[in-house]
Amino acid sequence: MSTPPQQPPSSSQQPQPPQQPAPPAQQPDQPPAIPPQPAQPAQPAQPAQPAQPAQPTAYPYPNPQSPPPQNPYAQPTLASQPAQPQQPNPYAPQPGYGYPPVAAPPSGGGGGRAGQAVLWAVVGAVVASAAWAAGVFLTGGFGDSADLRGYQAPANLCSGADYSSFKDEYPEDDSSPTKNALKDPALDESYCSLSLKKTGSSYGDAYLTLQVDLHKKTDPGPEFTATWKNYGDSHTDYDVSPVSGIGDEAYLVTEDTSNGSSTSGSRYATLAVRDGWMTYTMSYSAYFSSYDNDTDPPTLDDVTGWLKTDTKSTLEQLKG
């Protein structure tokens, strides 16, 4: 009779591997034993203190208590920890305490302001260059800018000027006229003073003075006009009249206190001329007394005519 086959044992009946003995648990280092302390007598129970309201504080944080200690070895997990808001600096100046609020920088990293600064610098340079060019154009450059019209100031104006119109009335020459000259980077000047004598006179019957000035650094126009056009305002009893046809501007200044007499009073006349930056004056003066030999002096009309004629001739000579 055959034996039926045997069924394999169930999982609950499977042989178990032998158990490995567990390693002995590592015990932490034990602190040294602390000797027992004597028992303290029981303290009487203290009555409960009423709750105190929170006191105001000047500390900027709501709870000035120290934060709990942190594990210095713990590593923060960026994915698990939310972003913490930045705490304000308690020592930063606050608006309302004498400090203006800090303005946020403009968008673009400040490039707009830098661009504007560069733009205004360029505009300023252009304006300055235009003003410089205009000044050079009007003055003729920084070199020889004086408008002298070709005039020269001779070392001896007494021999370089023309006063021949007076020779018929005063034929005698002055043997020792006064003359001087000045040469300077700012001004050239020449001066002459001489006596006019009639035939037979031992002393001068009248006097003639001439002066030419070449202004090489400044325009004499405004001051010349102020001086001669308004001469009657600063000197009483003088008549002033403009003269055309001589230079850029000319003024004739006269005075006669003789009242037609040849024994008292005086007669005076000056012709002042400006031509560019050159100025020229020619003056006549005569003083009468009972001791003078001249009993028939020339009139002012005669004198002013001679001044105009000789001044035109002299200016032509000074250009040569």
Side-chain angles (χ1 to χ4, degrees):
M1 179 176 186
S2 61
T3 304
Q6 300 293 328
Q7 298 292 331
S10 63
S11 61
S12 60
Q13 296 177 358
Q14 291 292 331
Q16 300 294 331
Q19 303 249 339
Q20 298 293 333
Q26 184 177 359
Q27 300 295 331
D29 294 338
Q30 298 294 333
I34 300 176
Q37 299 293 331
Q40 297 294 332
Q43 297 292 334
Q46 297 293 333
Q49 298 292 332
Q52 298 292 334
Q55 299 295 327
T57 175
Y59 196 75
Y61 294 103
N63 296 315
Q65 291 83 2
S66 300
Q70 301 291 332
N71 184 359
Y73 301 99
Q75 298 297 326
T77 304
L78 299 179
S80 61
Q81 293 189 4
Q84 297 295 331
Q86 185 177 1
Q87 296 294 338
N89 183 1
Y91 302 101
Q94 301 298 324
Y97 289 90
Y99 298 93
V102 180
S107 59
R113 291 182 180 230
Q116 291 178 2
V118 172
L119 176 60
W120 282 114
V122 172
V123 172
V126 171
V127 173
S129 299
W132 173 83
V136 173
F137 176 76
L138 292 176
T139 61
F142 294 111
D144 186 13
S145 59
D147 185 13
L148 298 179
R149 310 281 175 92
Y151 290 101
Q152 301 292 328
N156 185 355
L157 186 59
C158 293
S159 60
D162 180 16
Y163 49 93
S164 59
S165 296
F166 292 84
K167 287 294 185 179
D168 290 341
E169 187 73 22
Y170 304 100
E172 299 291 332
D173 292 334
D174 187 350
S175 59
S176 57
T178 301
K179 59 183 182 297
N180 56 56
L182 169 68
K183 295 290 184 179
D184 186 85
L187 177 69
D188 287 353
E189 183 178 87
S190 187
Y191 172 84
C192 172
S193 177
L194 50 86
S195 299
L196 299 175
K197 298 179 183 179
K198 289 189 173 184
T199 303
S201 296
S202 302
Y203 301 99
D205 297 304
Y207 301 90
L208 198 64
T209 60
L210 310 92
Q211 180 171 323
V212 58
D213 292 280
L214 305 181
H215 306 263
K216 297 187 289 184
K217 293 296 183 181
T218 56
D219 181 2
E223 293 184 3
F224 178 88
T225 305
T227 299
W228 293 105
K229 183 179 181 180
N230 305 311
Y231 195 89
D233 296 338
S234 57
H235 300 76
T236 58
D237 299 329
Y238 284 83
D239 296 325
V240 180
S241 58
V243 178
S244 60
I246 305 178
D248 290 336
E249 59 178 329
Y251 298 94
L252 181 64
V253 178
T254 59
E255 181 193 39
D256 188 354
T257 62
S258 67
N259 295 322
S261 173
S262 61
T263 58
S264 64
S266 62
R267 291 173 186 171
Y268 170 86
T270 293
L271 179 60
V273 180
R274 181 188 67 82
D275 193 12
W277 288 21
M278 183 281 305
T279 57
Y280 178 79
T281 56
M282 189 174 189
S283 301
Y284 167 92
S285 57
Y287 305 93
F288 309 132
S289 71
S290 58
Y291 302 99
D292 291 334
N293 294 327
D294 186 9
T295 60
D296 188 19
T299 66
L300 273 181
D301 290 339
D302 293 335
V303 170
T304 55
W306 300 338
L307 289 176
K308 294 176 183 179
T309 300
D310 290 349
T311 293
K312 291 180 180 180
S313 176
T314 298
L315 294 182
E316 290 296 328
Q317 293 180 196
L318 293 179
K319 281 187 176 182

